[in-house]
Amino acid sequence: MHPDLEEVLFDEEQIKSIIQTLADRINHDYKDTECLMLVGILKGSFIFMSDLVRKLTVPVRLEFMSVSSYGSATTSSGVVRIDLDLKKPIDGKDVLIVEDIIDTGHTLKYLLESLGARKPKSLEVTTLLQKKEALKTDVTVKYVGVDIPLKFVIGYGLDYDERYRELPVIGVLRESVYKK
Ligand code: XMP
C-alpha cells in the first residue's frame, strides 16, 4: 500500500466489478441509441472513462471537457469555469457525462446547465464515486458506481495536487499529507 494512503477503499478487482455493473446498466438503457456521446470530465475521469468504454457494447463517441472549480485544495466551491469545451454541437444526441467523483455537486450542476442548454436528445450522468452526504445541489445522477464516506480519496485518476492519479486502487489520503 502507498505510504500516503490511510486505507484502501476499493482494490482493482472491486473497481472492475463496479464498472461492469455500470456498463451493464448503460448497455441496457442505450441499446437502441444511434450513438452515445460520452463526455469525460478531465482530468479525474480519464482512467474510469477508458475502462468503462471497453465494457460498452453500444456505439459510442468520446469527447472530453475540462473544468476548473474554485475552492480550497480538498473542497470545491460553486464557481466553475470551462477550460476545454466540446468542439462539436450535441443537439439531438444522447449524451452521458462521465465524472470521477461527485462531492457537493456544484461542478456537475454547472455542467448540466451548460450542456442542457445545447439541446441534446438526452443528458444523463455516470460517476464512479459519489459522496452522497456532501451533496448540496439538486442534481440527478442516474448511474452511480458507489457511495463513499466524506473523506478525501485519491488514486485511479483522482489526485491531490496532481499526485497519485496513477495508483491502481482508490484510497483515503492521510490527513497529514494535506494538513501541514
Ligand atoms: P463538487 O463539489 O463540485 O466536486 O461535486 C467535484 C470535483 O471535486 C473534486 N473532488 C475530489 N477529488 N478526491 C479528489 O481527488 C476527492 O475526494 C474529491 N472530492 C471532490 C474532483 O475534481 C471532482 O470532479
Side-chain angles (χ1 to χ4, degrees), residues 38-56:
L38 299 175
V39 178
I41 309 305
L42 295 171
K43 298 175 190 171
S45 73
F46 81 106
I47 300 182
F48 174 40
M49 178 86 148
S50 71
D51 280 348
L52 176 70
V53 76
R54 283 177 286 175
K55 298 292 176 199
L56 295 181

Side-chain angles (χ1 to χ4, degrees), residues 76 99-101 103-107 131 151-153 158-159:
S76 78
E99 266 283 21
D100 52 352
I101 185 164
D103 190 341
T104 62
H106 283 133
T107 310
K131 294 180 186 169
K151 292 187 171 175
F152 195 80
V153 296
L158 291 149
D159 74 309

Side-chain angles (χ1 to χ4, degrees), residues 66-160:
S66 174
V67 293
S68 306
S69 179
Y70 293 93
S72 72
T74 56
T75 54
S76 78
S77 69
V79 187
V80 181
R81 186 185 71 194
I82 295 182
D83 294 322
L84 173 73
D85 206 344
L86 300 175
K87 300 276 183 288
K88 291 185 183 147
I90 57 168
D91 54 298
K93 308 262 190 258
D94 288 317
V95 176
L96 182 64
I97 297 174
V98 180
E99 266 283 21
D100 52 352
I101 185 164
I102 293 162
D103 190 341
T104 62
H106 283 133
T107 310
L108 183 61
K109 190 171 173 65
Y110 181 85
L111 279 167
L112 283 168
E113 281 168 7
S114 171
L115 296 184
R118 304 179 202 189
K119 306 271 184 288
K121 180 179 172 195
S122 66
L123 180 61
E124 297 291 351
V125 183
T126 181
T127 185
L128 182 61
L129 309 172
Q130 181 175 38
K131 294 180 186 169
K132 211 175 186 175
E133 290 167 60
L135 209 60
K136 290 200 173 75
T137 51
D138 58 344
V139 290
T140 306
V141 183
K142 190 161 183 185
Y143 306 99
V144 177
V146 67
D147 278 311
I148 61 164
L150 293 181
K151 292 187 171 175
F152 195 80
V153 296
I154 51 164
Y156 196 77
L158 291 149
D159 74 309
Y160 171 69

Side-chain angles (χ1 to χ4, degrees), residues 155-175:
Y156 196 77
L158 291 149
D159 74 309
Y160 171 69
D161 203 14
E162 293 303 326
R163 295 175 61 204
Y164 314 111
R165 291 192 197 276
E166 73 283 12
L167 300 184
V169 301
I170 295 168
V172 178
L173 183 62
R174 278 189 199 286
E175 272 196 15

